[in-house]
Amino acid sequence: MEVKPAIFPHEQKNHVLLTWAQSMNGKIGYKNYSDDEKGNLFLGQLKISCKESFRMTHGLRASFDAIMVGSNTVRNDNPSLTCRYPHPEDSTCLAPLSMQPIPIIIDSHLSLNYASLKVMELARCGLTKAPWIVVAPSVIQRKTKDAQLQERWNCIEHYGGQIFVRDQEYPENWKDYVHLEKLQSNGASRIMVEGGATLLRKAFESNSFDSLVVTIAPKMFSDEETIGISYLKHLNLNHALWIPCGSDILLTTYKHFPMELLQLK
Ligand SMILES: NC(=O)c1ccc[n+]([C@@H]2O[C@H](COP(=O)([O-])OP(=O)(O)OC[C@H]3O[C@@H](n4cnc5c(N)ncnc54)[C@H](OP(=O)(O)O)[C@@H]3O)[C@@H](O)[C@H]2O)c1
């Protein structure tokens, strides 16, 4: 039976969900091999979750206003950050534009080459919403003297994206760093934070989230090649739900977890 993805119009506004996929030993992605500009080696996305939990993630995306990711994740994975429901494995099977989440990238120094990103290309084709980028205030000054920065700024705006300049250069608090209040008041009320490790860790440390959905796959990856997450030991899991999903397990503290997303054939 085909079920529509759950949308929760009556659910509370201003919700932050942290979500990621990890192996049993907590690995979430390949390490970035820094040496940029000159031969940086990006290994791409580490395949972790099974197809059922992958589909669950895409169903969940349909009920959020935005997906937030860190700059390293975009640099390393070049993700499309789309809702491809109900066939996420098919990159051409995009949900309608109204169901697409806004991609939000935390990129303080406008360090990414926006013209070459998948999120930009999809927005340019009118298939998805254009990204929102959060930058530090110094970018405003720097771009007047730096043609490359100005070009990136123009590229984002040209394709309908928005740039949010936060108040402080390096605020301590996660909410200030990602300019959460401003994003939410502009319409990205319900945000899924999908990684990477640093952005999630900072949100965890400042206790800036409402719920969690973690996909745990029956896999192990090596310490040499991959980076991990070890936050779960800091959580009070008394009220967590553990839900089988294909060969994976979902750990969720999400109060209104859309169980129907797990009942799809
Ligand atoms: N398995 C999964 O579910 C999953 C999901 C996504 C990504 N990943 C993997 O994660 C890896 C990348 O992770 P990463 O840790 O290297 O990078 P990341 O989290 O993608 O990027 C670091 C982010 O943290 C931000 N940041 C720095 N200080 C902060 C603070 N005080 N408060 C809030 N944000 C702050 C950075 O902002 P600036 O722009 O200012 O530096 C940047 O946006 C990749 O291998 C990727 O494949 C896995």
Side-chain angles (χ1 to χ4, degrees):
M1 188 181 56
E2 203 80 312
V3 181
K4 286 211 163 144
I7 313 266
F8 311 104
H10 49 277
E11 255 200 84
Q12 75 188 89
K13 289 281 172 193
N14 293 350
H15 190 101
V16 174
L17 166 72
L18 305 190
T19 185
W20 69 87
Q22 65 166 69
S23 63
M24 286 194 301
N25 57 336
K27 301 299 183 186
I28 69 149
Y30 286 115
K31 283 180 180 161
N32 293 318
Y33 293 88
S34 56
D35 182 18
D36 215 339
E37 310 274 282
K38 304 106 194 160
N40 200 356
L41 178 59
F42 296 117
L43 294 176
Q45 230 159 339
L46 180 65
K47 184 132 182 40
I48 302 175
S49 46
C50 68
K51 65 178 190 322
E52 289 83 358
S53 37
F54 195 45
R55 185 161 48 193
M56 176 281 301
T57 300
H58 278 260
L60 214 45
R61 283 179 178 182
S63 63
F64 277 77
D65 302 311
I67 302 176
M68 181 188 286
V69 289
S71 53
N72 283 347
T73 294
V74 178
R75 195 170 290 114
N76 192 59
D77 303 354
N78 194 7
S80 57
L81 303 176
T82 52
C83 173
R84 301 188 299 274
Y85 189 87
H87 302 296
E89 57 291 333
D90 180 353
S91 62
T92 61
C93 177
L94 289 171
L97 187 60
S98 61
M99 272 167 67
Q100 293 295 335
I102 302 161
I104 298 177
I105 303 170
I106 309 304
D107 183 15
S108 303
H109 303 295
L110 214 57
S111 63
L112 299 165
N113 179 11
Y114 284 90
S116 68
L117 297 183
K118 279 187 197 156
V119 284
M120 231 23 145
E121 175 61 15
L122 287 159
R124 191 181 63 77
C125 298
L127 297 169
T128 57
K129 294 174 184 149
W132 291 3
I133 317 299
V134 176
V135 300
S138 61
V139 169
I140 300 274
Q141 284 296 322
R142 286 176 47 229
K143 81 180 168 75
T144 59
K145 300 178 204 116
D146 183 332
Q148 190 181 46
L149 274 190
Q150 184 65 59
E151 207 175 290
R152 289 174 181 170
W153 185 288
N154 294 347
C155 170
I156 294 161
E157 291 192 331
H158 182 73
Y159 294 120
Q162 289 190 55
I163 299 168
F164 290 80
V165 183
R166 65 173 177 248
D167 301 328
Q168 302 162 53
E169 195 67 12
Y170 294 117
E172 271 298 305
N173 191 284
W174 184 87
K175 288 185 182 178
D176 296 331
Y177 201 100
V178 306
H179 215 19
L180 186 66
E181 209 179 307
K182 190 76 173 175
L183 297 175
Q184 291 184 320
S185 65
N186 273 265
S189 172
R190 293 166 45 74
I191 300 178
M192 264 172 104
V193 183
E194 291 205 21
T198 308
L199 191 64
L200 289 165
R201 176 166 56 81
K202 297 288 182 186
F204 233 82
E205 285 171 356
S206 58
N207 200 20
S208 302
F209 62 99
D210 302 291
S211 59
L212 274 184
V213 175
V214 184
T215 297
I216 304 173
K219 293 181 179 172
M220 299 285 277
F221 295 109
S222 76
D223 287 339
E224 289 72 39
E225 273 193 320
T226 57
I227 54 163
I229 264 179
S230 58
Y231 319 136
L232 296 184
K233 64 181 178 229
H234 303 297
L235 265 184
N236 175 356
L237 295 174
N238 286 344
H239 301 291
L241 272 180
W242 296 83
I243 307 167
C245 182
S247 56
D248 300 340
I249 296 279
L250 304 181
L251 158 64
T252 179
T253 62
Y254 194 45
K255 272 184 275 176
H256 307 289
F257 187 82
M259 297 299 262
E260 55 271 47
L261 288 177
L262 304 177
Q263 291 159 11
L264 296 167
K265 288 262 153 52

